Amino acid sequence: MVDIELDILQNLNKGKESALKEIYRLFFHALCAFGSRFVKNDAVVADIVQEVFYQFIKNNAYRQLTPEALSTYLFRSVKNACLNRIRDQ
């Protein structure tokens, strides 16, 4: 999996839009399943995951990550966003 993540990060750094589609395809469903452990509304979880992807790209967070850290970063971001949503309700 690290090879795929390395390719994704390299392509993101080159500005290739295909990398965005690939990261979404690779992680979206797993992140939603993970987020549903915290937030029981599937629509809300999907919104949270999409916001995590948006912030990931907007803030260029991928520039600071190693391939080994990509999935950890995304899962931790989803968890924190879910916990923030629970706190704010």
Side-chain angles (χ1 to χ4, degrees):
M1 183 86 141
V2 173
D3 292 336
I4 295 170
E5 293 170 345
L6 176 61
D7 288 342
I8 289 171
L9 289 176
Q10 287 175 341
N11 288 333
L12 283 172
N13 283 316
K14 293 177 184 175
K16 293 187 178 181
E17 188 175 322
S18 62
L20 299 174
K21 293 176 184 176
E22 185 66 18
I23 196 170
Y24 186 86
R25 184 193 64 75
L26 189 61
F27 288 104
F28 181 76
H29 293 292
L31 290 171
C32 284
F34 179 70
S36 67
R37 294 179 184 176
F38 305 99
V39 176
K40 301 304 179 196
N41 185 323
D42 290 341
V44 172
V45 172
D47 288 344
I48 289 170
V49 171
Q50 289 182 16
E51 181 64 23
V52 166
F53 280 131
Y54 173 75
Q55 292 299 323
F56 177 73
I57 298 302
K58 178 184 170 201
N59 297 328
N60 296 321
Y62 54 87
R63 295 187 189 271
Q64 304 165 7
L65 295 176
T66 63
E68 297 83 11
L70 177 60
S71 63
T72 303
Y73 176 88
L74 292 172
F75 279 93
R76 184 168 298 173
S77 296
V78 167
K79 177 183 176 184
N80 290 340
C82 287
L83 294 176
N84 288 342
R85 177 68 62 103
I86 292 167
R87 179 197 64 208
D88 295 342
Q89 287 183 345

